[in-house]
Amino acid sequence: KAIIILISTAHQGQWGNDESLGGGAKKSSAASAAGTPPASTSAAGSGRLANLKASEEAISRAEFHQARGELDTALTFAQQAVALLEPSSALKEQQSKTQSSAAASSSSSSSGSGDVSGEWDFRESAVLESAALVGAEVGEAVWAMAVLRRALTHACTSSALLNLAELSGGEAALRCFDAGIRLLREEHAQVSAQGLADEAEQLAQQVALAYTSAAELYLTDLCELPDAPQQCELLLKQALQADPRSPQPLQVMASLFISLHRSPEALILLSRSLDLWLPAAVAALSSSSSSSSSSSSSSSSSASASSGVMHEVDPPSIDFRIATARLLQELEQWERAIQVLETIVEEADDIAEVWFMIAFCHRKMGGDDHVDTAVEALQRAKEVIEMYKLEQVDSELSALYAEVSRMLAELTAETPA
C-alpha cells in the first residue's frame, strides 16, 4: 500500500545534550523558531506559552522514547503533552466568543499579538500532530484521530489532514484526502512561483502519494461503489500527472487491473513501476557483493565508479516492495519477484514473510537448485519466527509458522537423500 509517511511537517524532533534523556532532547524546530513573547502578553497568554513550552518538552521526550522502541513510555509522554494543551483549547474557545469586540477595541495595536497567537496555534497544532503519530504507532488509533482533529482546530495543515485520512476510513477518509491534497497543491504552487525547485519536487511527490492513497480507498473501503474502478483510475492518473516518476501509482494501478482481470496491462504497468527503482537497487546489490570480495583498492575504485547508481534512486519502503512482490507472484513473474525480495533481505534479513515468499517463488520455478534454495529460505523463515515467538504470541505469526513447516516438510520429502 502506498502510505503517506506519517511525519508532521510542522514538528520534527531534534536531539541535543540534555543529560536527563541520555543524549537528550532539544527543542523542536517549531519550538526553536518561537522567539520571546512581547512585553504586552497577558497573564493568560503567559500561561498558554508556559503550557506550550512544557508540551513541546513532553513531545520531545515522547519522540525520544519512540525512537528507542519504548512505545508505552512514548505514549505516556504524548498523552501528557496533549493534556498540557487543554487550557489552550479552552482559552481559544473563550477568545472566539469575544473575537468581534476584541478586534474592534484593538484594531490599531493587535497585529503584533495576533502574529504571536497565530504562531502559538501553529506550534500547538504541531505538538498535537506529533502526539497523534505516537498514538497511531502504539495502536491507539481512536485517540490519535481525536488528537488530530484537535490539531486542526489550532492550525489546518495538509499533514494533519492526510494523517487523519490514513487513520479514517470510507467517505470520511476521502474528504480528508481531498482537503489535504488541495492544501498541498496550494503549497506547491507557492514554492514553484518562488522558484524553489527542490521544495516543489518534494511537494509534488507528496501530492502523488496522497492521490495514490485516496485511490486505494476504492480498492478497499469504497470498492462496492458502482464507479469505484473508474474513480480509482482517475485518481491514479492525477497522481502520475503530479509526479510521473513515482512508482506507487503505477503499482496500485497494476493491482486495480489485476482485480479487473486485465493481467497483460497490469504487467506493463508493474514493469514501468519497477523500472523506476529496481535496476538501481539491483546494481547497488551487485556492487556491494563485488566490492566485498575484492581488494580494498579495487573496492574503493568500484565504489567510486558506481556511487552515482547506488545513490541515484532510493528504493521504496519495505511494505511497498513486499506488496510489489505479491503482485508479481500473482502474475507468475517469479524471477522478478525474487529480485524485489532480495533487495529487502539485503536491508532487513529478519522478516519471515519475505523468506517464505522467496521459497514460494523458487518452488514454483522447479528444478533441484531452486528446491534447495527454497528449503534454505524456509529454514531461515522458521528460525526468524521461532526467535520472535519467544517474545510474543501472534496469531498471524503462528499461521505463517504452520505454513512454513508444512511446505518445508513437503520439499524435504520431495528431495532425494
Side-chain angles (χ1 to χ4, degrees), residues 270-291:
L270 200 54
S271 296
R272 286 174 57 193
S273 176
L274 289 167
D275 287 344
L276 292 169
W277 66 270
L278 185 58
V282 171
L285 285 178
S286 300
S287 176
S288 176
S289 300
S290 61
S291 64

Side-chain angles (χ1 to χ4, degrees), residues 11-149:
H11 177 90
Q12 298 176 357
Q14 306 292 327
W15 304 110
N17 297 314
D18 187 339
E19 296 294 335
S20 65
L21 289 179
K26 181 175 138 182
K27 291 179 184 176
S28 70
S29 55
S32 60
T36 303
S40 61
T41 301
S42 66
S46 297
R48 179 183 175 187
L49 180 59
N51 286 335
L52 172 57
K53 289 181 176 180
S55 70
E56 287 173 334
E57 176 65 21
I59 203 62
S60 291
R61 290 173 179 268
E63 291 172 338
F64 173 79
H65 289 288
Q66 181 184 24
R68 292 166 59 95
E70 299 164 354
L71 298 184
D72 288 342
T73 305
L75 179 61
T76 298
F77 279 112
Q79 291 171 334
Q80 177 183 333
V82 172
L84 284 164
L85 293 180
E86 289 287 354
S88 298
S89 298
L91 179 61
K92 281 174 63 63
E93 183 177 352
Q94 178 183 358
Q95 288 174 335
S96 67
K97 293 178 180 179
T98 57
Q99 183 177 12
S100 299
S101 59
S105 62
S106 59
S107 57
S108 62
S109 60
S110 64
S111 59
S113 60
D115 290 343
V116 171
S117 179
E119 183 180 355
W120 291 352
D121 284 341
F122 186 76
R123 289 168 60 187
E124 287 163 351
S125 178
V127 169
L128 291 168
E129 188 175 348
S130 295
L133 301 186
V134 174
E137 183 174 351
V138 176
E140 296 289 341
V142 174
W143 179 81
M145 290 169 63
V147 173
L148 282 170
R149 292 189 185 99

Side-chain angles (χ1 to χ4, degrees), residues 67 153 174 221 240 333:
T153 66
L174 198 61
D221 297 9
L240 288 171
Q333 300 294 306

Side-chain angles (χ1 to χ4, degrees), residues 218-219 222-223 225-236 256-257 259-260 262:
Y218 289 104
L219 295 175
L222 305 177
C223 65
L225 295 178
D227 63 342
Q230 293 78 14
Q231 292 297 325
C232 180
E233 187 172 356
L234 176 62
L235 287 169
L236 292 170
L256 169 65
F257 283 8
S259 70
L260 297 174
R262 296 163 60 179

Side-chain angles (χ1 to χ4, degrees), residues 105-393:
S105 62
S106 59
S107 57
S108 62
S109 60
S110 64
S111 59
S113 60
D115 290 343
V116 171
S117 179
E119 183 180 355
W120 291 352
D121 284 341
F122 186 76
R123 289 168 60 187
E124 287 163 351
S125 178
V127 169
L128 291 168
E129 188 175 348
S130 295
L133 301 186
V134 174
E137 183 174 351
V138 176
E140 296 289 341
V142 174
W143 179 81
M145 290 169 63
V147 173
L148 282 170
R149 292 189 185 99
R150 274 189 58 192
L152 289 168
T153 66
H154 288 261
C156 187
T157 64
S158 58
S159 59
L161 284 165
L162 295 175
N163 287 327
L164 183 57
E166 287 293 347
L167 293 173
S168 305
E171 295 286 352
L174 198 61
R175 288 192 294 271
C176 289
F177 276 125
D178 183 57
I181 289 170
R182 283 203 305 270
L183 286 180
L184 277 178
R185 293 182 72 91
E186 290 174 6
E187 294 168 26
H188 180 265
Q190 291 171 0
V191 299
S192 296
Q194 296 169 6
L196 303 174
D198 290 343
E199 289 83 349
E201 182 179 359
Q202 292 174 2
L203 284 168
Q205 292 170 356
Q206 292 177 37
V207 170
L209 289 175
Y211 272 126
T212 302
S213 291
E216 287 187 299
L217 288 171
Y218 289 104
L219 295 175
T220 54
D221 297 9
L222 305 177
C223 65
E224 298 297 328
L225 295 178
D227 63 342
Q230 293 78 14
Q231 292 297 325
C232 180
E233 187 172 356
L234 176 62
L235 287 169
L236 292 170
K237 287 179 178 178
Q238 290 176 304
L240 288 171
Q241 288 175 355
D243 183 12
R245 295 177 296 176
S246 175
Q248 284 84 357
L250 290 166
Q251 183 231 53
V252 175
M253 194 176 293
S255 178
L256 169 65
F257 283 8
I258 288 174
S259 70
L260 297 174
H261 307 291
R262 296 163 60 179
S263 294
E265 295 167 271
L267 181 56
I268 292 172
L269 290 165
L270 200 54
S271 296
R272 286 174 57 193
S273 176
L274 289 167
D275 287 344
L276 292 169
W277 66 270
L278 185 58
V282 171
L285 285 178
S286 300
S287 176
S288 176
S289 300
S290 61
S291 64
S292 63
S293 61
S294 63
S295 64
S296 58
S297 58
S298 63
S299 150
S300 176
S301 301
S302 173
S304 298
S306 63
S307 59
V309 175
M310 291 175 65
H311 300 290
E312 194 172 77
V313 179
D314 291 329
S317 70
I318 287 177
D319 286 341
F320 174 86
R321 283 177 275 172
I322 290 175
T324 298
R326 287 201 193 101
L327 294 177
L328 288 166
Q329 286 181 333
E330 288 192 54
L331 296 169
E332 299 185 355
Q333 300 294 306
W334 312 117
E335 290 188 16
R336 298 198 83 182
I338 290 171
Q339 278 187 317
V340 171
L341 294 166
E342 285 177 345
T343 68
I344 300 174
V345 169
E346 182 69 16
E347 186 176 330
D349 65 352
D350 60 349
I351 304 176
E353 181 185 9
V354 170
W355 287 111
F356 177 76
M357 293 174 70
I358 290 173
F360 184 86
C361 291
H362 279 288
R363 185 182 188 184
K364 286 291 186 179
M365 293 172 73
D368 291 344
D369 290 342
H370 287 295
V371 170
D372 291 343
T373 305
V375 169
E376 292 174 5
L378 287 169
Q379 289 172 338
R380 178 58 183 146
K382 194 173 183 179
E383 291 172 2
V384 171
I385 295 173
E386 288 173 346
M387 178 179 66
Y388 281 110
K389 284 180 73 175
L390 294 175
E391 301 175 4
Q392 60 184 357
V393 177

Side-chain angles (χ1 to χ4, degrees), residues 399-414:
L400 180 59
Y401 186 79
E403 185 64 17
V404 167
S405 299
R406 183 191 62 78
M407 186 184 292
L408 187 57
E410 291 176 357
L411 289 177
T412 302
E414 296 170 6

